[in-house]
Amino acid sequence: MNGNTFRMPARRLVTIAAATALAAGPAVLAGAGPAHATGAEGRASAAVLRTALDVSLLDETVRVPLTASLNEVRAPHSARKTTLTARLDGVDGGKPFSLLRAEVADATATVTPAKAEARTELVQARVHVPGLPLLSVIELDKVTSRAVCETGKAPVASATVPGTVTVLGRKVTLTAGGTTQVRVPGVGEVGLDLSQRRTTSRSAAATALELTVSVDPLKLNVAEARGTVTLATADCKAPAAPVAPESPAGQRPAPAEEPAAGVRPQGEASAEPGLAETGGNSATPYVAGGALALVVAGGGALALARRRRG
């Protein structure tokens, strides 16, 4: 009866000690899990049209700014509006006037963990400025721009423009190099820069057309309109590549050393037939600890039992 009374606590002691030693292994390993590094987020934006104009009125000495945009989006958005109107006090009695009309005017910007991309498309478009309600600054068939920034790859910027456009009522053939100047006496002057592209190690930007406008229509109470009109722009920046985690000391782990000649790494199968294979893995220290706990607990229980009998 007494023997059974002491054997039960002893067995429980052995079981608890073994479980504690074996459970310690997974707990330590769990604390040493891999670290996940995240890079900076990418960005993308696009716009079908932007204006930055200063409009001077005949009966005023100040310039009225005209800053507007159509379908200007930032990731992750898209837009498909095809008209843009504006109002300026002192111009045509403050009535709204059309800046842009087009059959298609699309802008899209998207960003994923590994890629940022922006696109624009403008089809059958006419651009106006204050004072020229009937005469377009420019008429064109189609322009597009695209910027793609992907992690680990070179960014790409591209733009397409038609071979000919109509500027201030005149057909103009566009050239790839330099600025194309169009002058119309009594109306004004427009300079066209086409297919501007720029890339860096992580970013890209493309503009299909940029117009430098200077018109002096002398009607609708407008003396002069100067500034820029930008068509079909897209830009992006690639998400940063993940950075490998560093050691606690601030240094990267040193490369593993090659084993010396004739020394077989622990756990590698023996090349000689008939010999027993030995080795270990990451759980070996914990198994050994559990076994030691069993021995100690068993010895204690045996000593207590002998004293009781004595």
Side-chain angles (χ1 to χ4, degrees), residues 120-207:
T120 60
E121 182 181 19
L122 187 59
V123 178
Q124 296 297 321
R126 294 186 176 189
V127 179
H128 295 266
V129 297
L132 295 176
L134 301 178
L135 183 62
S136 302
V137 172
I138 188 171
E139 298 178 21
L140 51 86
D141 293 332
K142 182 179 180 179
V143 292
T144 65
S145 64
R146 180 171 179 251
V148 181
C149 301
E150 192 168 356
T151 302
K153 296 184 179 180
V156 177
S158 61
T160 61
V161 296
T164 59
V165 295
T166 301
V167 179
L168 298 177
R170 294 185 176 182
K171 285 283 187 181
V172 177
T173 300
L174 300 177
T175 58
T179 302
T180 301
Q181 294 290 148
V182 179
R183 296 180 178 88
V184 177
V187 177
E189 180 179 347
V190 176
L192 296 90
D193 292 312
L194 65 154
S195 297
Q196 299 179 17
R197 297 180 295 272
R198 177 180 55 82
T199 59
T200 66
S201 59
R202 284 183 58 194
S203 65
T207 298

